Structure formats: structure tokens, C-alpha cells
Amino acid sequence: MTRSDEPGAADDAVTYRNEGIRTLLATFEHGDPEELLRLRDILGDLQQSAFGVFLFVAILPAFIPIPGLGGAVSGPLTILIGLQMLIGLRKPWLPAFIANRGPRRGTGQRFVGKIAPLLRWLDRLLKPRLRWLLDALPAHALTGVLLVVTGLLLSLPIPFTNYLFGVILLLFALALLERDGGLLLVCWTAAIASIVVFGVTSDQLVELLQHWWAKLT
């Protein structure tokens, strides 16, 4: 997408500088709103930005105002992404039943339209920096762990948290897209804070972890 220099260009025209965000926008920008965008097609030619785009698509249901739907879909997908980063994969692996599914183009268009002001603001700030936070295996694994736990919290019916976890995961997606280690540090801090506040105080999470521990022992 290019920046318009024509006098009288619409004030609300969305312009983007960063190639990562452009890659994301190009996925949804043109075409039939009813077209199903399969994940295998969306991620097929992507390299370093693949996890960022996958995470962005995965969290779309978290912003649908239907109780239970967002967490039930976005949570497990986020956990899948986090596990793959935790074990050191550099590009997502998709099982067939996930690879052949995806959002309608119109869903992505509507969501991108809603967060356009945020993208405009981030467009001026985001840039590739502190790349070792994205490339070093320990940092890659830490991001994976935080995505797994945040995805787990998102999947639990904790009241009024879908949007909170959704925003944190959106920032993770943009950090991975833009290769911005500075934003990733912010994401780590926000994720750890939310895990401490909601995870430690969530009886459901404690019971789930106790159930898993009982199975392991």
C-alpha cells in the first residue's frame, strides 16, 4: 500500500510504512468478503512473519462478542502456536484440519478497519530492532511459553478477559510481524502481569493444573 500525495486525499485513508503490516493487510484488503481464506494459503509463502500472521488470524474470534466462542477457538490456536515456538520451530506447522480452515475475508476486513487507528500509531513506532529477542532460541522459547499460558487463560471462561488477552496477543502478533524486539518486551511484561493477576487468582486454572499434575504423577 502506498502513501497518497494527492491534495484532498481522504483524511481517514489508512497508510502503512512497515512491510510486516502490509503483508497482513494484503491478505484481507481486496476480494470477495465471503471468500474463505484457508490458513495453508495465507501462510504458504511467508517466512519470518508467518507466526505473526498466524497469531493475528488465530485471535480474530476473541474479538467476536459472543460469550465462549472467542476463547474456544482462539485459545487452542494460540496454544498451538506457542508450543511450536517453544520447541524451536521457525515456521508454523499446520495439521490438515486446521490448514484447510480460516476466516472469511470480510471478517479480517472488518477487524482491520476497527484497529486502523492503532495500526496508524504503531506504524510510526514499529521497526526491526533487538532482533536477538526474536531469533535467539531462549527468547523464542519464552515467547512460546507466554503464548501457551495466555492462550490457556483465554480458553477458560474467566469473565471480562477476552478483549484483554486478545489485545495482548494482537501486540504479540504485530511484534512478530514487524520483527520489533522492543514491542516484544512490552508483550512479555503485559503477558506476565496478566498471568500473575488472572492466572494465580483463577480457581479454574488451578484446578486444571492440578488435574494435569495428577495425571503426570
Side-chain angles (χ1 to χ4, degrees):
M1 186 178 294
T2 57
R3 195 178 299 272
S4 174
D5 294 320
E6 296 179 8
D11 290 338
D12 59 349
V14 181
T15 56
Y16 299 93
R17 169 174 50 80
N18 296 303
E19 291 302 322
I21 291 177
R22 289 186 181 184
T23 299
L24 180 65
L25 293 177
T27 302
F28 302 108
E29 190 174 13
H30 300 297
D32 182 2
E34 294 303 314
E35 180 185 358
L36 181 67
L37 300 176
R38 292 178 174 83
L39 279 168
R40 59 178 171 81
D41 297 327
I42 294 174
L43 304 179
D45 296 327
L46 299 178
Q47 296 298 325
Q48 292 182 331
S49 63
F51 273 119
V53 173
F54 188 10
L55 183 57
F56 181 90
V57 174
I59 65 172
L60 289 177
F63 293 92
I64 297 175
I66 300 177
L69 176 62
V73 177
S74 296
L77 286 175
T78 300
I79 293 170
L80 174 63
I81 294 168
L83 287 173
Q84 293 187 28
M85 296 186 70
L86 176 59
I87 64 174
L89 294 187
R90 296 297 179 175
K91 189 173 180 180
W93 170 81
L94 300 176
F97 74 95
I98 293 178
N100 292 322
R101 288 172 170 79
R104 300 285 176 185
R105 188 187 301 275
T107 301
Q109 289 172 340
R110 288 191 294 274
F111 181 62
V112 168
K114 289 179 180 179
I115 65 171
L118 173 65
L119 292 180
R120 287 196 196 98
W121 179 66
L122 290 175
D123 178 54
R124 298 191 294 269
L125 300 178
L126 299 184
K127 61 183 178 181
R129 56 188 158 187
L130 301 177
R131 295 191 184 187
W132 65 273
L133 292 176
L134 296 113
D135 296 330
L137 188 56
H140 197 69
L142 175 58
T143 297
V145 169
L146 293 176
L147 289 179
V148 168
V149 181
T150 305
L152 178 59
L153 288 172
L154 178 60
S155 66
L156 295 174
I158 304 174
F160 313 115
T161 57
N162 267 23
Y163 282 1
L164 171 65
F165 296 137
V167 168
I168 292 172
L169 293 171
L170 172 62
L171 294 178
F172 266 111
L174 293 175
L176 295 173
L177 269 169
E178 297 295 340
R179 312 284 297 158
D180 192 325
L183 178 58
L184 190 61
L185 279 174
V186 173
C187 295
W188 287 355
T189 303
I192 291 170
S194 67
I195 290 167
V196 170
V197 171
F198 294 100
V200 174
T201 60
S202 171
D203 293 337
Q204 294 159 322
L205 180 61
V206 171
E207 290 173 4
L208 181 61
L209 292 176
Q210 289 175 340
H211 177 69
W212 286 355
W213 179 255
K215 282 190 172 183
L216 291 173
T217 57

